[in-house]
Amino acid sequence: MIVKFYNHEYKKTDLFGDISPLLSMQADVSIVMSIKNVGKSYPAMKLCKKATESGKNCVWLRWCDSEMTIARDEFLRDETFKADKMVGSKHGMVLRNVNTGFKIYILGVKYAVNYKGIDIPNLAWIVYDEYIPEYYDVQTRRTTEFDKFMIILTALWRKNNPRVLLIGNTIDWYNPYLTAWKIVPFEAGKIRVSLYDIHVESDDTEINKTFKIAVENMKPSPKMIERVLASEGLRGDNSLMQKYIENYYKNQYSLTESCDNKIKLEPIQLLIHGNYYSYRLKSEIMYWTKSTKRNVLTYVCNRSDIGPNSIIVKSFGQHLEQAINLGLSKFADGSVYNAIIDYCAE
């Protein structure tokens, strides 16, 4: 795999996330991740509008019906678009450019099997807004979302050669997309461009395909952070908010790190997949590790696991995910990270 990096930091006066430097890489798949509420969706919507003006159709992906409705209403603020019914699927919406007749199809990744036979000609862009959520509400989404996305992508690529844009409002370097495409963590303010090669052998013949994938780890400008503070400032005290911002500025995104074993484990443990996990606390950071069963408070996911000193707290998984997003959690290794993420999702 050939990998190159490019610098891209926003000016102090920048309020919205201009994604044109990322798109200028002309990649098959472009991915942008950042702190939320810095305006990534807005330029992507303008991109789709411009495509319909030049004689092309687009697809705008969200996860489910409720998110699709939000996207539709956002597009309809522009009087250029009118809503049409989508023929052949109850999980789909169509927005028509009244001047040119070309359309934006809003589809739900959750309903991917409904679109296997879909045929959209003259397709320029496939945009998946919030391709990873801030919180996984259900385990099934984490384990199936990538495969569902690929079902839609495969169907739409059969007769077209559209470009793909994925927008993420939280930084998660270990999601199924980046894992599949071998994207490793890198610092904020850079764009990583890689040539991802696929080789298949058939009847003594080697068939090759190369995909170009560009990823931007967006470093928000001070103006963007001011905008975030207006909407996110009440999520906690000032020190918590500072860590929320700093997590997107830090130069090294290593989630795997061990803590001094001389520090005692906290009197709490998680039970997931038959194993126990606990953490050591140092400088406000939780260092998670696999542990033996202890006689301490135990958080479980399933009622069948309830026993002495064990409880189910539905909100605890979201608290853990928030700690990860804030940069307040580290993990002894990848298996520990996956276990904790599975707990959050369960």
Side-chain angles (χ1 to χ4, degrees), residues 72-294:
R72 179 201 64 191
D73 293 345
E74 193 68 27
F75 273 109
L76 289 177
R77 291 185 181 186
D78 187 335
E79 295 183 355
T80 304
F81 294 103
K82 298 296 181 184
D84 286 345
K85 289 185 177 180
M86 183 170 176
V87 179
S89 176
K90 65 178 181 180
H91 297 292
M93 305 173 184
V94 180
L95 302 175
R96 175 175 46 84
N97 186 315
V98 296
N99 298 319
T100 66
F102 288 92
K103 301 171 181 178
I104 298 173
Y105 294 78
I106 302 178
L107 308 179
V109 176
K110 182 178 180 180
Y111 319 109
V113 293
N114 292 274
Y115 312 127
K116 281 188 174 181
I118 195 169
D119 182 15
I120 301 177
N122 300 314
L123 188 57
W125 283 98
I126 302 171
V127 180
Y128 188 2
D129 192 13
E130 296 194 39
Y131 76 99
I132 49 174
E134 185 176 11
Y135 302 117
Y136 281 101
D137 293 325
V138 291
Q139 171 72 350
T140 51
R141 175 170 180 180
R142 178 174 177 83
T143 56
T144 66
E145 178 181 338
F146 178 70
D147 290 335
K148 288 178 180 291
F149 169 77
M150 288 306 302
I151 288 173
I152 296 178
L153 186 60
T154 300
L156 294 174
W157 262 0
R158 285 197 184 104
K159 297 182 180 179
N160 298 275
N161 188 30
R163 293 170 62 189
V164 178
L165 173 61
L166 305 179
I167 301 172
N169 288 331
T170 185
I171 292 182
D172 178 0
W173 290 106
Y174 302 96
N175 67 72
Y177 298 83
L178 301 192
T179 300
W181 298 327
K182 297 178 173 58
I183 308 298
V184 297
F186 60 90
E187 63 265 34
K190 287 189 179 295
I191 296 173
R192 178 191 194 267
V193 178
S194 59
L195 299 180
Y196 182 72
D197 297 315
I198 297 293
H199 308 279
V200 178
E201 293 183 2
S202 176
D203 297 328
D204 298 324
T205 301
E206 186 176 271
I207 304 171
N208 302 306
K209 174 65 179 178
T210 298
F211 297 92
K212 189 176 184 180
I213 301 177
V215 183
E216 180 180 356
N217 182 5
M218 182 186 288
K219 183 175 182 178
S221 70
K223 280 291 184 182
M224 292 178 188
I225 292 176
E226 285 182 20
R227 190 162 177 256
V228 171
L229 287 176
S231 58
E232 297 289 312
L234 294 179
R235 64 164 49 230
D237 60 30
N238 187 66
S239 63
L240 192 66
M241 191 66 207
Q242 185 67 35
K243 285 192 174 294
Y244 177 67
I245 298 297
E246 287 176 352
N247 187 43
Y248 296 87
Y249 270 136
K250 64 183 181 180
N251 291 326
Q252 294 183 358
Y253 289 87
S254 175
L255 291 177
T256 56
E257 184 177 330
S258 297
C259 183
D260 187 351
N261 288 339
K262 294 180 181 179
I263 299 177
K264 290 184 177 181
L265 291 170
E266 292 294 307
I268 181 178
Q269 61 189 5
L270 307 183
L271 174 58
I272 181 73
H273 303 323
N275 296 311
Y276 292 87
Y277 299 87
S278 188
Y279 67 89
R280 295 178 171 90
L281 193 62
K282 181 181 179 182
S283 300
E284 300 183 25
I285 305 295
M286 293 185 291
Y287 291 85
W288 287 92
T289 185
K290 191 174 181 180
S291 61
T292 58
K293 182 179 180 180
R294 296 178 295 148

Side-chain angles (χ1 to χ4, degrees), residues 316-330:
F316 191 63
Q318 286 194 348
H319 290 313
L320 287 181
E321 280 199 77
Q322 185 179 57
I324 296 170
N325 291 336
L326 291 171
L328 297 174
S329 291
K330 300 282 187 178

